Amino acid sequence: MATTNWTLDPTHSELQFKVKHLMITTVTGSLNVLTASLTSESDDFENAQVKFEAETASIDTGNNDRDNHLKSGDFFNADEFPKVSFESTSLTKDGSDYTLKGDLSIKGVTKPVKLAVEFGGIATDPWGNTKAGFTISGKINRTDFGLTWNAALETGGVMVSEEVKILGELQFVKQA
């Protein structure tokens, strides 16, 4: 079977993260500039190769002061490490959905991660483009990637949780 290449449709895709603040509420942010590709041998995407990159300078939490802190050396150090990247090592069917494993690189540190992937299906848009949709989710420990800044609270606990939830809505366009 022939290899099929898919590229990310950035206008219909988003990559978000969620982290606990003061251990009582969740703050959501996005990496707004991202590229991704998917290479598959079949339309069921089993064993497809997935790659993505997101620009750390595109981080957006809806608060400029917080965004600037996240871009600083305390967190992503966007000047020195301008991209977060991921390259798959496997994509396996898990019922009607998938498990995606691969290497995530943040701030010069690469670690294996596992993400759940919900396959939304394949559709053709009004202009004849074939598209495939996926929802990804998972969790990482930010300190594993050198994102270690924190502050202890007088009442106990810390300002920012170590666990980060990753959520993505990704739409890919089949290439001719």
Side-chain angles (χ1 to χ4, degrees), residues 5-155:
N5 294 311
W6 302 75
T7 58
L8 188 72
D9 177 352
T11 60
H12 297 105
S13 300
E14 61 186 23
L15 182 61
Q16 295 181 321
F17 59 90
K18 294 180 177 284
V19 64
K20 287 283 188 187
H21 180 258
L22 299 177
M23 311 319 290
I24 59 172
T25 58
T26 300
V27 172
T28 301
S30 298
L31 290 164
N32 290 332
V33 178
L34 58 139
T35 58
S37 64
L38 187 150
T39 303
S40 66
E41 297 293 327
S42 67
D43 283 344
D44 76 355
F45 299 102
E46 181 103 38
N47 299 315
Q49 293 294 314
V50 181
K51 294 180 183 181
F52 83 75
E53 287 188 339
E55 293 182 15
T56 53
S58 74
I59 201 161
D60 180 8
T61 65
N63 179 286
N64 284 335
D65 289 339
R66 180 174 44 228
D67 295 347
N68 288 334
H69 190 203
L70 289 170
K71 293 173 194 177
S72 79
D74 283 346
F75 287 96
F76 287 96
N77 195 358
D79 289 337
E80 187 175 344
F81 302 100
K83 296 193 186 286
V84 169
S85 63
F86 174 85
E87 187 165 343
S88 67
T89 55
S90 69
L91 179 65
T92 54
K93 268 188 124 30
D94 185 6
S96 61
D97 296 319
Y98 298 84
T99 299
L100 177 62
K101 294 180 181 178
D103 295 320
L104 178 63
S105 297
I106 301 173
K107 202 174 177 180
V109 177
T110 301
K111 298 275 184 184
V113 297
K114 181 170 90 169
L115 303 168
V117 179
E118 179 183 327
F119 178 50
I122 295 176
T124 302
D125 71 14
W127 300 273
N129 298 303
T130 302
K131 297 191 173 188
F134 303 88
T135 299
I136 63 166
S137 61
K139 296 176 186 177
I140 63 168
N141 183 319
R142 67 184 178 86
T143 62
D144 291 346
F145 295 91
L147 305 172
T148 58
W149 183 91
N150 222 332
L153 302 175
E154 287 182 24
T155 56

